[in-house]
Amino acid sequence: MPHKGPHVSISAEYVVNRILRINLDEFERWPQSVRQLAIELAEELFLVAYNPFISASAVRKSVDEHYQNESQSLAHQYATAISEGITMFWCAHEAEPAFCRELEGRLSAIMPDKCIMRRRGALVASSTDATDLRMELPLLVVEPDTPEQMSALIRLANEMKFAVIPRGGASGLTGGTVPARKRTVVVSTTRLTAKSIDAAAKTMTCQAGVITQDAIDFAAAHGLLFTVDPASKTASTIGGNVAENSGGPFCFEYGTTIDNLLSWSMVTPTGEIIRTLPVPRHASGPDLTMMFLGSEGTLGVITEVTLKIHPQPEAREFRAYIFKDFHTALEAGAELMRSRLNPCAIRLYDETETKTHVSKVFGIDLDKGAYLVFGFDGRKDIVASQMKYAREIMEKKFKGKDLGSKGGEYWWKNKYKFFYPGYMFHVPQAFGTLDTVADFSH
């Protein structure tokens, strides 16, 4: 078969270790020609591990022929290591169907057949997230209807010793929903979509599978504002937001998920269903609400959350400036934050980003320099006062070139466009995977 390597994020040496089980320290000492042979064989076998549309028999024939053609010229130790690795791979591969049949039978006693996905297309779609990193194919994809079904599934996983990976919208860029080991079941929260609002308490309760944009629209239909709005909001889920502690442009004023989460319900790794106290703060023991936030599904499966919502602001106003360089713009932004004027959003782009991305997204030519945008929301008179003082900082102290409210509105209307195809960064550039937090001295 034509040689095809795996994802760019996976090193060839890692694939050899994973597929042929050859110790990496020993592998580093192998002759280059032998290393290359092992890499080619492992990468071809790797195709079977994550692509059910590949013919296993065709791969087996190709690998066997390749190995036999080269084995006569190999030293005994290398031939044995590679041969044993190939044998172990196929033994493990052939054991999976029987395990999967038993698993399907046990799952059928827990949830309706409609909740158990066996199609090859579903397995492929659920083997990665927005990273497109693919490590292993899941055995099955399940979509529990209720937290009780989720609990029974987790108990079964403990009994049968298979891994469970919670999956929301799979819009993440950290690889948190990528199966990384054999015998994995992906648990989709697609069917957990109930939601309700307590207008008096200004809270919204959502099951984990509610799409973020649907939650935002649901709050807006009640005249209220839900402010957790990551760039992935049209695909990401509420459960995923909690698991990743998502933010968004509103986080400067309203905070990230951690600041808007009141309580959650979760299935623990042993199958118990627990719920934290539905209050902002308490002194009744450890704060479990914060303990599990951002755990990326490693400490349990979120099934429902209660979140803060806010009144819709009377006014919202943005303004943008161009500064001569990034350092000056950074100092201006820091001064705005120290002034306690409390902007609802603020974003800074360096000289290169301003030239290559901001101008492209907005569809206008911008002067050379660094682009800084900020805004305020709330009562109309207070917003006007905040903007007045903010303009004094930008224009009098740091000599920024005022692009006016129109320059700021460009950003507000197009802020998610930076992540759309045709505008976002591509490999080897990276984005969106790491938030860097520092004080104003660093």
Side-chain angles (χ1 to χ4, degrees), residues 168-209:
S171 58
L173 288 161
T174 62
T177 62
V178 177
R181 54 169 286 181
K182 294 185 179 298
R183 296 193 174 177
T184 294
V185 171
V186 170
V187 185
S188 172
T189 58
T190 300
R191 296 178 183 273
L192 300 177
T193 57
K195 51 188 181 293
S196 62
I197 278 181
D198 185 332
K202 296 292 187 294
T203 63
M204 176 169 60
T205 298
C206 299
Q207 286 190 310

Side-chain angles (χ1 to χ4, degrees), residues 75-148:
H76 177 74
Q77 67 186 90
Y78 305 132
T80 300
I82 293 174
S83 177
E84 289 180 350
I86 294 172
T87 299
M88 286 188 289
F89 174 84
W90 289 118
C91 286
H93 180 76
E94 290 165 355
E96 294 304 279
F99 182 85
C100 196
R101 285 193 295 272
E102 181 186 358
L103 176 58
E104 287 185 42
R106 299 290 297 276
L107 286 173
S108 295
I110 293 174
M111 61 187 72
D113 193 60
K114 67 179 182 179
C115 298
I116 305 171
M117 310 291 287
R118 307 171 179 84
R119 293 181 296 104
R120 289 183 294 177
L123 302 183
V124 171
S126 298
S127 66
T128 189
D129 57 11
T131 64
D132 198 37
L133 175 64
R134 299 174 190 273
M135 305 286 286
E136 291 284 347
L137 200 67
L139 290 173
L140 295 168
V141 179
V142 296
E143 300 175 343
D145 273 323
T146 66
E148 289 72 26

Side-chain angles (χ1 to χ4, degrees), residues 347-376:
R347 190 63 59 91
L348 169 62
Y349 299 86
D350 65 22
E351 297 94 328
T352 301
E353 289 175 307
T354 300
K355 179 180 179 180
T356 62
H357 282 75
V358 179
S359 294
K360 184 178 180 181
V361 169
F362 294 174
I364 59 175
D365 291 326
L366 293 172
D367 290 346
K368 182 180 179 181
Y371 175 89
L372 176 69
V373 59
F374 57 87
F376 300 96

Side-chain angles (χ1 to χ4, degrees), residues 235-303:
S236 64
T237 62
I238 294 298
N241 292 339
V242 174
E244 297 279 350
N245 190 20
S246 299
F250 277 125
C251 67
F252 282 91
E253 180 178 6
Y254 298 96
T256 62
T257 302
I258 192 172
D259 304 293
N260 290 276
L261 180 64
L262 287 177
S263 65
W264 46 254
S265 179
M266 185 179 78
V267 179
T268 70
T270 51
E272 291 85 2
I273 299 175
I274 62 173
R275 184 170 184 88
T276 61
L277 295 174
V279 293
R281 297 287 185 271
H282 65 81
S284 303
D287 191 347
L288 295 178
T289 302
M290 297 299 105
M291 184 182 299
F292 289 88
L293 184 75
S295 60
E296 299 187 21
T298 59
L299 302 179
V301 184
I302 299 291
T303 57

Side-chain angles (χ1 to χ4, degrees), residues 313-316 377-386:
E314 179 185 354
R316 182 178 290 135
D377 67 4
R379 281 181 42 176
K380 190 173 182 179
D381 56 339
I382 294 177
V383 168
S385 179
Q386 289 172 312

Side-chain angles (χ1 to χ4, degrees), residues 392-441:
E392 289 180 2
I393 293 172
M394 298 296 131
E395 297 168 24
K396 294 182 179 180
K397 187 169 184 178
F398 292 96
K399 311 301 181 185
K401 180 181 178 181
D402 183 17
L403 300 180
S405 58
K406 187 175 181 180
E409 290 295 337
Y410 271 127
W411 177 81
W412 181 247
K413 292 178 181 178
N414 295 282
K415 58 186 178 295
Y416 299 114
K417 200 171 178 180
F418 288 90
F419 301 95
Y420 292 171
Y423 300 100
M424 62 184 180
F425 292 111
H426 296 282
V427 173
Q429 293 169 306
F431 69 98
T433 59
L434 183 67
D435 287 327
T436 302
V437 181
D439 60 36
F440 292 124
S441 298

